[in-house]
Amino acid sequence: MKYYIMFGPPGAGKGTHAVALAEKYNLRHISTGALLRDEIAAGTALGKEAKKLIDAGNLVPDSVVEGMIETAFETASGINGFLLDGFPRTLGQAKDLDAILAKRGEKVNGVISIMIPDSLVYERIAHRALIEGRADDASPEIISNRIKTYHAQTEPLIAYYKEAGKYHECLGTKPTIDENRQLVLELMEQIPE
Ligand code: AMP
């Protein structure tokens, strides 16, 4: 099994491009954000707890998303691997992911990082709010908190994966989704088997 990580700030296009990559390489796309939104929609206890944190632009506890990821890894038939989108988001999650995979005799194959400046994060998320109606896209204060959370808690993963020789980065700043997707697909081609 291959394990790839889509990395980048909110609004970089992780989810959008993950769909194309998953299809091309026969990978299962796992978005922890989407799984959490499913829990919220289903009204589960986990969903109710998570909603408060998500709607404020904060992260949910590592143990919650790690449990979801481990469950998702159980359903591995008929695919070449997994494409993780929005996970890991903290150094603790990255280290725990390494441990979870090591137990299975597996490892992270590569990190596909899409970089955009903070100014574009606001623009993209404001646009997405009109289309998807996500509560955590709704106000500039919440977006600003998510950007702050990204810089404080998620950005340190860049050094972690660079150190491991697994970090591959492209820009996601082209005006169209097609142009950006092309860059992401080219980046994926460069990741060694
Ligand atoms: P996303 O759809 O990836 O933008 O995620 C939406 C929200 O879900 C995030 O702002 C977090 O509150 C929560 N979330 C998603 N993935 C994680 C994660 N790996 N760790 C902690 N919180 C997460």
Side-chain angles (χ1 to χ4, degrees), residues 32-33 36-37 54 58-60 65 86-87 89 93 134:
T32 42
L36 288 164
R37 284 187 287 280
I54 293 174
N58 295 320
L59 297 181
V60 306
V65 280
F87 178 90
R89 248 178 165 102
Q93 289 176 20
R134 274 172 56 171

Side-chain angles (χ1 to χ4, degrees), residues 51-129:
K51 183 171 167 45
K52 292 181 218 150
L53 293 162
I54 293 174
D55 286 358
N58 295 320
L59 297 181
V60 306
D62 289 353
S63 57
V64 170
V65 280
E66 287 169 13
M68 292 176 149
I69 287 285
E70 285 204 87
T71 304
F73 285 167
E74 300 302 327
T75 58
S77 66
I79 50 170
N80 294 328
F82 292 90
L83 183 57
L84 308 182
D85 160 10
F87 178 90
R89 248 178 165 102
T90 65
L91 258 184
Q93 289 176 20
K95 290 179 181 167
D96 289 343
L97 174 63
D98 283 346
I100 290 166
L101 292 179
K103 268 196 297 187
R104 311 169 72 89
E106 308 271 19
K107 60 175 171 36
V108 171
N109 291 81
V111 176
I112 300 134
S113 173
I114 309 170
M115 277 301 131
I116 63 170
D118 290 354
S119 55
L120 196 52
V121 175
Y122 284 101
E123 218 177 280
R124 292 255 180 93
I125 293 188
H127 179 69
R128 185 170 70 187

